């Protein structure tokens, strides 16, 4: 039987949602029987493949790089899952939203910095005006709240999606 392709994507998040994916422990064996993980921080692939069946997205869309990545991932993914409160609501990354990006960067990189103050311009992605939830940029097929979502819920989501069912999460997740 042909295996499904599962990917994960790390946008503006703390990696806690990916840690929760790793915490699904022995359930990963059941997932591995049905799917290959083809992209994300858990594997070594450098290029997002075509025709991915399920992508779990951690984090808000905060930078131009995030924006371009999520657009490309959406084009190549059948079912896109917003995983965790940062992806679902923009949560922690949105705490910067009340401030202008220029003033924010000056506060962090210039004011009160003793050694080589200056806003970095090379090798860092340009920040968007606001950090936004994934669904403000692309269509999301399933929202899995939690900070992070419990490992059991992630295992359930993957199991159901790989069986061709849309999971009912009403009693399995909550915000925060
Ligand atoms: S939802 Fe929570 S655990 Fe997940 S990336 Fe955001 S802050 Fe981290």
């Amino acid at each position: 039987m042909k295996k499904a392709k599962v990917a994960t994507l790390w946008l503006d998040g703390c990696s806690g949602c990916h840690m929760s994916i790793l915490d699904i422990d022995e359930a990963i064996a059941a997932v591995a029987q049905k799917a290959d993980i083809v992209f994300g921080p858990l594997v070594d692939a450098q290029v997002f493949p075509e025709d991915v069946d399920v992508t779990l997205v951690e984090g808000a869309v905060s930078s131009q790089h995030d924006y371009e990545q999520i657009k490309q991932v959406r084009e190549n993914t059948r079912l896109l899952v917003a995983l965790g409160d940062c992806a679902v609501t923009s949560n922690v990354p949105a705490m910067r939203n009340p401030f202008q990006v220029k003033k924010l960067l000056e506060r962090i990189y210039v004011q009160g910095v003793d050694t080589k103050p200056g806003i970095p311009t090379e090798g860092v992605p340009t920040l968007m005006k606001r950090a936004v939830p994934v669904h403000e940029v692309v269509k999301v097929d399933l929202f899995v709240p939690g900070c992070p979502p419990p490992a059991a819920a992630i295992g359930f989501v993957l199991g159901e999606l790989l069986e061709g069912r849309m999971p009912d999460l009403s009693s399995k997740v909550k915000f925060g």
Side-chain angles (χ1 to χ4, degrees), residues 13-24 57-59 82-88 91-92 143-155 172-176:
C14 73
S15 88
C17 290
H18 271 84
M19 293 298 111
S20 207
I21 296 172
L22 288 176
D23 277 347
I24 69 176
V57 183
E58 169 189 323
L83 183 72
D85 290 351
C86 293
V88 174
N91 195 32
V92 176
F143 296 88
V144 184
C147 185
I154 298 172
K172 296 194 182 313
V173 289
K174 60 182 174 59
F175 286 98

Side-chain angles (χ1 to χ4, degrees), residues 123-143:
V124 287
T126 306
L127 285 179
M128 291 164 42
K129 279 187 184 171
R130 294 168 54 245
V132 298
V134 173
H135 68 270
E136 280 197 27
V137 181
V138 294
K139 175 177 174 277
V140 169
D141 299 295
L142 180 68
F143 296 88

Side-chain angles (χ1 to χ4, degrees), residues 42-121:
L42 308 178
V43 296
D44 200 23
Q46 302 298 315
V47 177
F48 196 87
E50 294 178 352
D51 300 328
V52 172
D53 294 289
V54 178
T55 299
L56 308 178
V57 183
E58 169 189 323
V61 183
S62 289
S63 68
Q64 196 59 36
H65 183 251
D66 293 341
Y67 183 88
E68 287 159 13
Q69 265 201 308
I70 194 65
K71 286 278 193 186
Q72 189 216 356
V73 165
R74 176 71 271 189
E75 280 175 19
N76 291 288
T77 298
R78 195 167 58 82
L79 291 169
L80 191 81
V81 179
L83 183 72
D85 290 351
C86 293
V88 174
T89 71
S90 64
N91 195 32
V92 176
M95 292 171 75
R96 72 165 172 88
N97 287 355
F99 307 100
Q100 282 182 0
V101 168
K102 188 166 177 288
K103 288 188 175 167
L104 191 72
L105 294 176
E106 281 171 355
R107 178 74 184 89
I108 294 167
Y109 291 106
V110 179
Q111 294 166 12
V113 175
D114 295 329
T115 309
K116 294 185 182 172
I119 297 171
T121 54

